[in-house]
Amino acid sequence: MTILRWLRTRDANLSALRRSSRAALIMPVLFALYAEVVGDANAATFAAFGSMSLLIFVDFGGQIRDRVLAQGSLVLAGAVLICVGTLAAQRIWLAVPAMFLVSFAVLFSAVVSSVFASATTALLVSFVLPVNLPGAVSVIPDRLLGWLTAGLVSMIAIAVLWPAPTKDPLRLATARTLALQARTLRAEVGRIRAAHGAPPTQTNNTPPSDAPTTAAADNTDAKATDVRSADAEITDDLNDSAEAVAHLRKTFFSTPYRPTGLSTATRTLVRLIDQILLLQSVLEQPPLAHTPGRHVKAVCEVKLAAATLLDHGATVLETVGDPTTLDADLAQLRKTQRAMEEAMTSALPHKEDYTEFVTSLEPGFRAQEMAFAISEISQNIRFTVAARRRTWWQHVAGSPPPGAGSALASAQDRAGAHVERHSFWLHNSLRGAAALAIAVLVADLTGVGHSFWVVLGTLSVLRSNALTTGQNVVRALAGTVVGILIGVALILAVGTNTMAFWFLLPIAVLFAGLAPAAISFAAGQAGFSVVILILFSLIQSSGWELGLVRIEDVALGAVVSLVIGAVFWPRGAVPALRQALSEALSDSARYLGSSVGYAVSRCDALAPRADPPAGDAREAAASARRLDDAFRGFLTERGTKQLPLAEVTALISAVALIRLTAESILDLWRDDQGEPGVDRTAARTEIIAATDQVLAWYQQAAQALADPDDLPAPLTPDHSANARLVDAVRRDLGGAETPVAVRLIWTADHLDAIRRLQHSLSAPFEATSQSILAKSPA
């Protein structure tokens, strides 16, 4: 196996090699420029650390233009932090609270944007250095000179030195999934048409129907063959789309930060994933448990229009084409949807026909549910693509596409969602800020040399719980010791030959940037230690004594991080995930109940008209965001533990499905103006009773997750509910105004789908609660 092939197995897309190669080329040059040519130690130090921070610790994605803009924003933000850090460093009583506030702002701001999240380390380094390196206010220009030079060169480097390929795996995986789901819909239509084929043409010689001919029998056999072939095709297409959805989910959660925030394109793309999960759940229902009957043509027209919209949407998303081309497809889908609803609004049946009536509405309900999901998908495709097609100035100004909402509103929503005592991100931000602030104080009180290493040591080993932090303490110190031994050996071997140090510096930088990905965290620490020893040997010859200082400082920082981790969050991400699941399930169920209440209030003149549940919608979305971040922390910390990831993911998907079902009910009733003077108390009472029963189960399940406790037994189906509902609708409407009757029964179908979801959650809940969620320390 060649070295390059081995690297590809450890370093996907060679991204670490790309970053470290740039730094190995640029950092020594800038360091030599200011240390040897200009003779400015301050500028040299900040140029060196700035180069490493901006080229190794951060790697923005997207188009080249977007990367350069993000890099430029990071450089400017770092320049501001250098000024603030230098000013705060003049007094320890100012440095400690400044470290806390700045660290908290940097860490917590990552919740609103993946750009902020990926730049967290670089931003913190730009503040840690000036707040811990002694220097008067007069050194600010020199420090800014080194940092801004490194920033300018880094912007050029990411654009022209081995630029990363422009790829968006999440967007491409989404487009592929949509195309496969469109194929599944077309297969369903083919199966329906095969099952409802036209009878053989009649002629004058055709014998009576009670004496079928061989041709008729052959036609029946051919139809049966077509149906079996269509069934096999549907099965294959469903398997393909299910695999694509699983791959999409894996791609989404494999990113260390939720790809959302200030970018409109990424915000809307994330929303697409939730809607694709809803659509897949609809497609995976037995497609022909109830055949469309007399509504076969209307249902097939809706599914074909939906498949066309999905196909075109997948193409537009993949190619970033003109999103306005989807307008005609969306209009056609809505037209066929209205036609289907009109076709199904025939008179209510007699009492003995209620089962047939409800059964005949089932295919229409599935088509309506599917059409809602695909309509929402098309809107988000429009926003995603329109955001990517904005001009450079519109990107800089943050101008959102029409209807997509503002970046500021999105940032407020995401930040507001985490201003909550159980928030995983809030805990991490507070704990990290406290650790760094205490590290500054400890470094000052102990009077250690190069005190910034105490803070950098804290930053490098701090993780979200004490156990994981402890593991990284051992690895960090082991790596540091090895690095120091290597560095001291180099110092003793080289002596005063500075040319040898200049030769070794780029090699050390390359190794330090590549080692964490290709070898281990400890190897990266070792490489970083060697780099620092070489840098300070070039600036100020200290020999092996500097190695001892490095070990002392990092050990002190490691102890601080361990103590803070134990005090602020001794149990880690697992209990946070349990709590986030409980809150998200409870809030989503409450939102569903409010949506049903809003729906039935619009069909009963005697009931007070309810407002749209905007507040519950915001709470459900906020808890879903917290759940997403808690799950990412859970994945980060899982280590070698055997986790039922499929079961945990099933619970998370269920939360999204409940929330999207609430929105589907709202969409079903939003345009209904009702009929004044019509009393629908009986029908409304039946719907509310069914809602209360279903929601009570989910609230008990949410409480069981929080405690933890046993999951309540799934609700048994009420076979008489449909009869009671149809009878109530008949009494209320007197057989008239059947569009309202259809909506009422479809609302009940939504609730029944959520009730049936309980059975699929029993196994994931049991496995997750027993092997993971119930594992909290005494």
Side-chain angles (χ1 to χ4, degrees), residues 134-193:
V137 176
S138 59
V139 304
I140 289 180
D142 294 335
R143 293 179 172 185
L144 287 179
L145 177 62
W147 174 267
L148 293 176
T149 303
L152 177 62
V153 175
S154 72
M155 293 170 66
I156 298 173
I158 63 174
V160 301
L161 291 180
W162 193 3
T166 302
K167 295 192 304 182
D168 192 343
L170 194 60
R171 177 174 58 86
L172 298 179
T174 302
R176 178 176 178 273
T177 303
L178 293 175
L180 289 172
Q181 289 178 326
R183 195 172 73 185
T184 301
L185 282 173
R186 287 200 170 89
E188 280 192 21
V189 172
R191 204 290 188 186
I192 292 172
R193 287 179 170 174

Side-chain angles (χ1 to χ4, degrees), residues 338-351:
R338 287 193 298 269
M340 180 191 68
E341 291 175 357
E342 291 173 1
M344 291 189 165
T345 55
S346 55
L348 285 171
H350 297 297
K351 183 174 182 180

Side-chain angles (χ1 to χ4, degrees), residues 505-520:
L505 181 58
I507 299 175
V509 172
L510 178 66
F511 181 84
L514 183 60
I519 304 176
S520 67

Side-chain angles (χ1 to χ4, degrees), residues 735-759:
E737 204 180 359
T738 52
V740 174
V742 171
R743 290 192 182 95
L744 284 168
I745 293 173
W746 279 352
T747 301
D749 284 339
H750 277 299
L751 290 171
D752 194 53
I754 297 302
R755 179 194 61 77
R756 291 196 302 270
L757 181 64
Q758 298 169 5
H759 294 275

Side-chain angles (χ1 to χ4, degrees), residues 617-686:
R618 286 192 297 270
E619 286 295 325
S623 61
R625 294 187 185 105
R626 292 194 296 271
L627 173 59
D628 177 75
D629 290 323
F631 185 50
R632 290 174 192 280
F634 179 65
L635 293 178
T636 301
E637 290 188 8
R638 61 193 178 99
T640 59
K641 298 189 294 293
Q642 297 298 316
L643 307 180
L645 295 183
E647 286 79 2
V648 175
T649 303
L651 294 175
I652 294 173
S653 297
V655 170
L657 291 178
I658 295 171
R659 193 174 75 256
L660 291 172
T661 298
E663 294 175 0
S664 184
I665 292 175
L666 291 176
D667 182 73
L668 179 64
W669 289 93
R670 189 169 284 120
D671 296 330
D672 185 88
Q673 300 301 319
E675 187 72 21
V678 179
D679 179 8
R680 304 186 182 93
T681 303
R684 179 167 54 86
T685 301
E686 288 293 335

Side-chain angles (χ1 to χ4, degrees), residues 55-141:
L55 291 173
I56 292 180
F57 297 159
V58 66
D59 187 20
F60 296 116
Q63 302 290 331
I64 294 295
R65 177 188 62 181
D66 297 334
R67 297 175 197 169
V68 173
L69 289 175
Q71 193 83 359
S73 300
L74 172 59
V75 171
L76 292 178
V80 173
L81 291 179
I82 288 172
C83 296
V84 175
T86 304
L87 293 174
Q90 306 307 307
R91 297 288 187 274
I92 186 60
W93 57 264
L94 187 59
V96 172
M99 187 76 249
F100 177 85
L101 294 175
V102 170
S103 299
F104 177 79
V106 170
L107 293 170
F108 190 72
S109 66
V111 78
V112 305
S113 173
S114 58
V115 174
F116 287 169
S118 60
T120 296
T121 302
L123 284 171
L124 288 176
V125 168
S126 71
F127 189 78
V128 165
L129 286 176
V131 86
N132 286 279
L133 286 176
V137 176
S138 59
V139 304
I140 289 180

Side-chain angles (χ1 to χ4, degrees), residues 711-749:
L711 182 73
L715 298 174
T716 56
D718 187 353
H719 297 293
S720 63
N722 287 336
R724 293 198 308 269
L725 179 60
V726 173
D727 190 48
V729 169
R730 183 190 300 107
R731 292 199 309 271
D732 288 349
L733 304 182
E737 204 180 359
T738 52
V740 174
V742 171
R743 290 192 182 95
L744 284 168
I745 293 173
W746 279 352
T747 301
D749 284 339

